[in-house]
Amino acid sequence: MTKKIILDLDTGIDDALAIAYALGSPELDLIGITATYGNVTVGRSVRNSLAVLELLGRTDVPVFAGVGHSLTTDSFTPSELSAFIHGGNGIGEIEIPTAGRNVEQQTATDFIIESAHRYGEDLTCIPTGAATNIVTALEKDPTIKDAMGPIVMMGGALTTEGNVNKWTEANVSQDPEATDRLFRSGAEVVMVGLDVTHQTLLTKAETSTWRDFGTEAGRCYADMTDYYIDFETKAMDIAGCGLHDPLAVAVAADRSLVTLLPITMQVDLKGPTRGRTIGSLAGLSDPVKTVGVAVEVDVERFLGEFMTRVGSVLSVGPEGRGGSAPGCPRA
């Protein structure tokens, strides 16, 4: 039986990879994408998500616009670093044509709540940007905490440094209050953070195989991912790009890919360590821990499954599903 999933994305490059991984996973049924902010604005996330889905021939998957800024601000502008990592358009300056359909009228918050009641424990939410959408849903209808399945988040760092500063991971930095409230909500949370995602490196040797498919989807994905690889190899001195968001999707499909440390988590909200994800001293003696933090990952098995699943999607593209393949020239 397939698991129903909602991807909550700030659709940049690794989010696009997460979409392909989800669509190529037989255990998962992607019932919708809710747009958040981080790599890009919510509006750009909507545009990118719709365009990527059309490129992959999956116009049946609806996209919903979420909250456009953190719980403590009134607006959001992507950082210069985000534009440097993902390109000004969020997808490596690859121009995928605008999708031929629109965002849904229902809000992301209401879609999450409705889906939680409809599918119950069969539903897994996977936030890979700010936690604002999922927390807004949990606080609007607290009953979904016990109705739905786990929340598998990509974000945070427990045993390693952050990627914004020594304390803070990028997704958590967008809305530390939201992540802290998620940890304290009582919902089942799995944290897939930099502790494991930086171990899952993809290189241009792998992306070159996507071009060999001869599909527009394969070429677009290779181009955008190479853009991402170029940044991470130069800026972070690592041998490829970390598969941050796809690993969270993989854990939602198969939790045995990682080793989880049960711990009651919190986020520092004040002082120089604002945004740090760390265990709660007060929660050490709690018999029930609120979060399972991924601290080890089966890298070889995950990368093998990643290439198989993403490849099964990119090798076909919309032209193999009865549609036409849009072009994707560089911007």
Side-chain angles (χ1 to χ4, degrees):
M1 185 175 179
T2 58
K3 301 176 183 178
K4 308 294 183 182
I5 64 167
I6 295 173
L7 294 180
D8 187 53
L9 308 176
D10 56 335
T11 304
I13 297 169
D14 56 333
D15 305 80
L17 292 169
I19 293 173
Y21 190 97
L23 295 178
S25 297
E27 311 96 327
L28 303 177
D29 178 12
L30 178 58
I31 64 169
I33 290 174
T34 51
T36 187
Y37 59 91
N39 298 323
V40 293
T41 64
V42 163
R44 173 57 71 169
S45 177
V46 166
R47 189 268 183 203
N48 288 351
S49 298
L50 287 168
V52 165
L53 287 168
E54 189 156 304
L55 176 70
L56 301 179
R58 290 299 304 270
T59 56
D60 57 307
V61 178
V63 177
F64 304 83
V67 182
H69 53 80
S70 75
L71 298 175
T72 59
T73 61
D74 297 323
S75 62
F76 170 77
T77 302
S79 69
E80 291 183 4
L81 180 61
S82 292
F84 184 49
I85 297 170
H86 294 272
N89 67 353
I91 48 175
E93 303 300 349
I94 301 303
E95 280 294 342
I96 303 174
T98 301
R101 62 189 176 115
N102 296 320
V103 67
E104 303 297 315
Q105 291 300 306
Q106 187 179 31
T107 67
T109 298
D110 289 341
F111 175 68
I112 292 170
I113 292 171
E114 177 187 282
S115 300
H117 289 299
R118 176 177 298 175
Y119 298 111
E121 293 181 354
D122 292 332
L123 176 69
T124 298
C125 285
I126 310 172
T128 67
T132 316
N133 283 340
I134 186 65
V135 166
T136 300
L138 285 165
E139 294 186 348
K140 183 174 181 179
D141 184 352
T143 67
I144 68 172
K145 169 181 69 71
D146 299 314
M148 64 190 295
I151 297 166
V152 182
M153 60 171 279
M154 190 281 120
L158 183 64
T159 66
T160 187
E161 295 179 357
N163 55 1
V164 173
N165 53 45
K166 286 185 178 295
W167 307 110
T168 309
E169 183 275 331
N171 289 337
V172 175
S173 76
Q174 303 297 347
D175 196 344
E177 281 77 12
T179 304
D180 188 59
R181 292 189 198 181
L182 176 60
F183 286 158
R184 297 174 186 272
S185 69
E188 180 185 357
V189 177
V190 175
M191 183 179 116
V192 180
L194 300 181
D195 313 89
V196 287
T197 63
H198 267 158
Q199 298 182 48
T200 60
L201 300 181
L202 191 74
T203 72
K204 289 185 179 180
E206 285 81 34
T207 61
S208 67
T209 66
W210 298 342
R211 289 192 182 87
D212 294 340
F213 292 146
T215 64
E216 287 298 317
R219 184 166 66 86
C220 288
Y221 265 74
D223 285 349
M224 76 170 78
T225 307
D226 283 354
Y227 185 102
Y228 194 38
I229 291 171
D230 286 342
F231 165 78
E232 295 224 333
T233 54
K234 292 176 183 177
M236 303 189 68
D237 194 27
I238 57 178
C241 68
L243 294 171
H244 307 289
D245 297 349
L247 182 58
V249 179
V251 171
D254 180 5
R255 199 172 292 190
S256 72
L257 282 167
V258 294
T259 300
L260 297 179
L261 173 66
I263 188 168
T264 297
M265 292 290 293
Q266 67 178 33
V267 180
D268 288 355
L269 300 179
K270 296 180 180 179
T273 62
R274 174 173 164 80
R276 177 174 64 170
T277 50
I278 192 167
S280 166
L281 181 61
L284 285 176
S285 60
D286 290 348
V288 178
K289 310 303 182 185
T290 59
V291 182
V293 178
V295 291
E296 295 180 346
V297 56
D298 187 335
V299 175
E300 184 176 357
R301 182 156 68 93
F302 165 66
L303 289 177
E305 292 180 359
F306 174 84
M307 291 303 296
T308 297
R309 294 174 185 221
V310 172
S312 72
V313 176
L314 300 186
S315 63
V316 180
E319 61 268 34
R321 298 184 174 94
S324 59
C328 65
R330 282 196 177 274

